[in-house]
Amino acid sequence: MVFVSKIYLPDKEKYKSYIDKIYESGWVTNNGPLVQELEKRLEEHLGVKNLLCVANGTIALQIAYMLLELEGEVITTPFTFVSTTGSIAAEKLTPVFSDIDAKSYNLDPAKIESAVTGKTSAIVPCHVFGNACEIDEIDEIARKHNLKVIYDASHAFGVTYKGKSILSYGDVSAISFHGTKFFHTVEGAALVIKDDALYEKAKVIRNYGSDAPDSVSMVGINGKMNELEAAMGLCVLDEVDTILAQRRKSHEYYAEQLKDYIQMQSFNKDASQSYSYFSIVLRSEEEMAAVRAALIAQDISPRQYFKPSLDTVPYVEERQVMEVARDIASRILVIPIHSDVEPTVAKIVIETLQKMRG
Ligand SMILES: Cc1ncc(COP(=O)(O)O)c(C=O)c1O
C-alpha cells in the first residue's frame, strides 16, 4: 500500500555515529547536547530566534497556552488535525470555531471578529497544508481585542511570509516534527517564542515547572525531546533541501496534470510553500468516494484530511456549525507526493472523474 506520508529515514551510518556519541556520553535526555545542537541549527536554518525543541506538536501547543496563561475561550479553526482543538480542550479552555475560507482552507479573517466575546483570550489558526494564513489581518484583529495569537505551523516547515520565517509571526508558533512530516525527529516539535522572557519561562514549563535543581517555580509539564530524537532531526536536517525539491516537483506535476479536474488549494501570494501535502477537492462527496475507491483498488491510500470537521467532535459545544469546513471535509482527498507514484495517481484520478462526469 502506498500511503500519503512515508517516513524519511536518513543514512543509517550517519545516524549510528550520533548513537555512538550518545553511548559514549551516557546522556539520553534532559536537555542534552544533541537537543541543544538541533535547536541552534534549526534557528540558523529557519532564520528565527528563541526556538525550543519539545516532545511533540500537541504538547508544544499546550505549553504555548500555559506560557501565555490563556483563559476562557480560544478561537480556532475546525479544519485542521484534531490535536489543534484537542490541545485547547485538554488545557480546560473552550474551543470556539470560526469558519474557513473555501479556497485557502485557512481561517477566514472576515469571520473571526464575530466569534470574539468578553471571554476570548486567544486565536489559534493553522497554516493548513503549509498555506500561510492571512497573518496581517489576524494580527490586526488580535491587537484590536487584546488577544494572543498562537499559530499551529505544523505543516509549514521552511515557509516564509513576506520574506521572514512564518514561525516568527504571532506570540508563539508551534511546529510538529512527527515522523509523517518531511522534517522530523520521529516524535517531536518546536516552539518559536517572540518574547525573550517568555522563552525563558517556556524552558521552565518544559521541565516540569522546575527552574533549577530542587526548585519549582510554576506549573509545568514533561515536554522534553530526547537525544535519540534530536539525532534523527540532525540527520534529516542535512537532507531537507533535497526532500523539499523533490516534493516541489511532485506538487507541480500534480498541479499541471489535475488543474482542469479538481479544485486546488489557493496559496497565499505573500508566502513560499512547504509542498507538504497535495489536496484535491472534488465536486461532490460521491466523486470523492469514487476517486478514493479507485485509488485504494490500486493499493494507493489517500486520506480524507481533515475529516471530521472539528465542530462535530463530541467534546465541543453543539452551537457551532461550520458549513464551509464541513463541506470541504466531505469532498477532499490528500494524495501521496513522496515517491514516483504521481503519474499513476494522476491517471486514476483523471480516468475516474472522466467516467463519472461522462
Ligand atoms: C496541524 C497539526 N497540528 C498538530 C499536530 C500534532 O503534532 P504531534 O503529532 O507531533 O503531536 C499535527 C500532526 O501531527 C498537525 O498536523
Side-chain angles (χ1 to χ4, degrees):
M1 207 65 168
V2 177
F3 296 102
V4 161
S5 329
K6 182 171 162 192
I7 189 155
Y8 178 80
L9 289 173
D11 180 68
K12 207 198 276 181
E13 292 309 313
K14 188 188 266 188
Y15 189 59
K16 271 182 167 165
S17 71
Y18 281 106
I19 300 302
D20 288 344
K21 279 193 202 168
I22 294 171
Y23 269 73
E24 277 160 30
S25 70
W27 197 342
V28 294
T29 187
N30 288 357
N31 200 24
L34 297 180
V35 166
Q36 292 178 40
E37 186 181 337
L38 181 63
E39 288 176 340
K40 201 159 154 286
R41 279 196 54 202
L42 283 170
E43 284 183 346
E44 280 162 12
H45 182 90
L46 298 166
V48 294
K49 61 168 194 166
N50 296 348
L51 182 146
L52 210 58
C53 283
V54 295
N56 60 60
T58 309
I59 279 183
L61 289 165
Q62 288 179 248
I63 291 176
Y65 313 149
M66 292 166 84
L67 181 65
L68 298 167
E69 299 181 14
L70 301 189
E71 288 179 342
E73 299 177 355
V74 173
I75 298 171
T76 189
T77 168
F79 192 75
T80 169
F81 187 60
V82 62
S83 161
T84 321
T85 302
S87 60
I88 295 169
E91 287 303 313
K92 302 284 177 248
L93 299 160
T94 305
V96 172
F97 294 106
S98 183
D99 214 343
I100 57 166
D101 176 83
K103 294 207 168 87
S104 72
Y105 316 151
N106 286 333
L107 273 179
D108 181 346
K111 292 181 182 155
I112 295 175
E113 224 170 341
S114 61
V116 176
T117 72
K119 294 183 192 156
T120 312
S121 61
I123 309 173
V124 179
C126 176
H127 305 297
V128 172
F129 305 142
N131 188 18
C133 289
E134 295 299 333
I135 288 176
D136 295 348
E137 290 174 62
I138 291 172
D139 281 0
E140 178 71 44
I141 296 165
R143 249 197 314 274
K144 186 170 160 197
H145 296 278
N146 196 21
L147 306 175
K148 304 291 184 196
V149 182
I150 301 102
Y151 284 105
D152 184 340
S154 290
H155 303 165
F157 189 91
V159 171
T160 55
Y161 175 78
K162 296 194 172 170
K164 267 175 38 185
S165 167
I166 200 156
L167 301 175
S168 57
Y169 293 91
D171 295 282
V172 178
S173 280
I175 179 166
S176 167
F177 299 151
H178 184 257
T180 51
K181 310 292 188 262
F182 76 84
F183 172 77
H184 76 91
T185 57
V186 186
E187 293 279 357
L191 288 162
V192 173
I193 299 157
K194 191 165 275 168
D195 181 84
D196 294 343
L198 286 178
Y199 167 62
E200 295 303 325
K201 182 177 164 189
K203 288 185 194 168
V204 179
I205 295 176
R206 175 179 69 170
N207 191 43
Y208 319 93
S210 174
D211 55 347
D214 309 321
S215 167
V216 175
S217 55
M218 63 189 80
V219 175
I221 198 166
N222 179 0
K224 291 176 275 113
M225 177 183 278
N226 68 51
E227 291 290 279
L228 287 98
E229 291 168 335
M232 179 60 78
L234 286 164
C235 293
V236 179
L237 193 55
D238 288 341
E239 313 292 329
V240 94
D241 291 338
T242 315
I243 304 171
L244 185 66
Q246 281 165 354
R247 291 207 167 208
R248 181 184 181 143
K249 244 172 89 188
S250 299
H251 221 272
E252 286 171 355
Y253 176 82
Y254 274 146
E256 184 52 33
Q257 296 294 312
L258 298 175
K259 65 178 188 300
D260 297 333
Y261 296 91
I262 53 128
Q263 175 186 317
M264 255 181 296
Q265 183 177 22
S266 63
F267 281 85
N268 192 321
K269 301 263 182 304
D270 290 324
S272 66
Q273 290 186 42
S274 67
Y275 307 103
S276 289
Y277 299 85
F278 194 89
S279 67
I280 59 175
V281 169
L282 292 313
R283 288 183 190 162
S284 65
E285 201 166 348
E286 291 69 39
E287 275 194 2
M288 184 279 298
V291 171
R292 186 168 172 269
L295 289 169
I296 290 172
Q298 299 296 316
D299 288 339
I300 295 160
S301 176
R303 288 296 302 265
Q304 288 175 268
Y305 284 149
F306 290 102
K307 200 180 172 193
S309 178
L310 295 171
D311 54 317
T312 65
V313 299
Y315 52 81
V316 303
E317 282 186 35
E318 280 174 32
R319 66 180 157 123
Q320 310 167 39
V321 176
M322 298 293 114
E323 282 171 11
V324 182
R326 288 189 189 193
D327 176 47
I328 297 293
S330 73
R331 295 187 285 128
I332 197 165
L333 285 177
V334 169
I335 54 180
I337 57 161
H338 53 76
S339 60
D340 52 5
V341 79
E342 285 79 7
T344 313
V345 173
K347 190 164 166 279
I348 296 169
V349 171
I350 292 167
E351 282 176 3
T352 310
L353 292 176
Q354 281 174 339
K355 223 182 286 168
M356 288 209 66
R357 292 173 188 174

